[in-house]
Amino acid sequence: MKPSIETARRLANALNVTLDYLVGDSDTTVFDKDITKRIEAIIDMGSEDKNALFKIIDAYIRDFKAKKAYS
C-alpha cells in the first residue's frame, strides 16, 4: 500500500523528518526542523553575513569539541 503525498507529508511532519528521509532518499540521519529553518535563512544571506556567522559557529563548535575532549 502506498500513501498519498498528503498522507506521507503528514506522517513526515508527525515523525519530525523530511519526506526524503521517510522514503530513504536522504543521507541525513537526524532531522531537526529548527536547524533546517535556520539553514534556509542562512542560504538567503549575503556572503559577508554568511562568513561572519560561520566564524561564530566555528568558534562554538571548536569550543564544544575542546570541552568534550577534556571532560
Side-chain angles (χ1 to χ4, degrees):
M1 183 173 150
K2 294 181 182 180
S4 69
I5 296 292
E6 181 60 25
T7 301
R9 186 185 66 76
R10 287 181 184 173
L11 182 58
N13 284 338
L15 296 173
N16 204 29
V17 299
T18 63
L19 279 171
D20 284 345
Y21 180 79
L22 190 64
V23 298
D25 287 340
S26 175
D27 293 335
T28 304
T29 56
V30 177
F31 179 75
D32 184 319
K33 286 184 179 184
D34 292 332
I35 292 172
T36 301
K37 287 178 185 177
R38 287 179 172 98
I39 291 171
E40 289 170 350
I42 292 168
I43 289 170
D44 292 335
M45 290 180 176
S47 62
E48 190 173 315
D49 290 331
K50 282 182 191 178
N51 289 333
L53 182 58
F54 291 156
K55 286 179 184 180
I56 294 168
I57 292 170
D58 290 343
Y60 272 95
I61 292 170
R62 181 197 64 230
D63 292 350
F64 170 77
K65 287 180 178 180
K67 286 178 188 176
K68 190 174 177 181
Y70 290 107
S71 62

